[in-house]
Amino acid sequence: PMSRGITDHEATVETDPVLEREIVEAIRSEISGLPDAVRDSVERYYFHDDPIREIGEAVGACRATVKSRLRYGRDLMRASNRLRELSGA
């Protein structure tokens, strides 16, 4: 479940299940293109709701490294989306 980043107000709004599934599939596709260590941290944090401390313990990295990987992953996905919008695709 992609619960992180959703406010209480947004959670009460009904969503189209087909659209939601398409969005999740698009996000998963973007995540699949990330470097392995970054992808692992992003998946654990956003899809499994693992706390940063637990991710660090599982992958043998300090909390700062996990936070950096999450930020880097978000930045790469933003850049990818921006490039897609600019190219008209």
Side-chain angles (χ1 to χ4, degrees):
M2 295 226 13
S3 60
R4 294 191 192 270
I6 297 176
T7 66
D8 291 336
H9 173 71
E10 291 170 328
T12 61
V13 176
E14 281 191 44
T15 58
D16 177 358
V18 174
L19 179 60
E20 187 174 318
R21 185 173 38 248
E22 288 177 11
I23 291 169
V24 170
E25 288 173 10
I27 292 169
R28 284 197 181 273
S29 175
E30 289 289 329
I31 290 171
S32 72
L34 296 174
D36 291 344
V38 174
R39 183 181 64 243
D40 186 40
S41 294
V42 168
E43 286 178 342
R44 288 172 182 266
Y45 187 76
Y46 288 104
F47 287 98
H48 301 287
D49 289 330
D50 290 351
I52 290 172
R53 178 186 48 76
E54 287 182 19
I55 296 169
E57 290 172 0
V59 301
C62 68
R63 291 176 51 206
T65 298
V66 173
K67 288 179 181 182
S68 292
R69 289 175 180 171
L70 293 172
R71 184 177 52 250
Y72 182 60
R74 287 189 301 266
D75 290 346
L76 286 175
M77 289 189 292
R78 266 190 220 108
S80 174
N81 287 332
R82 200 169 299 129
L83 290 174
R84 191 174 310 123
E85 289 173 5
L86 291 173
S87 69

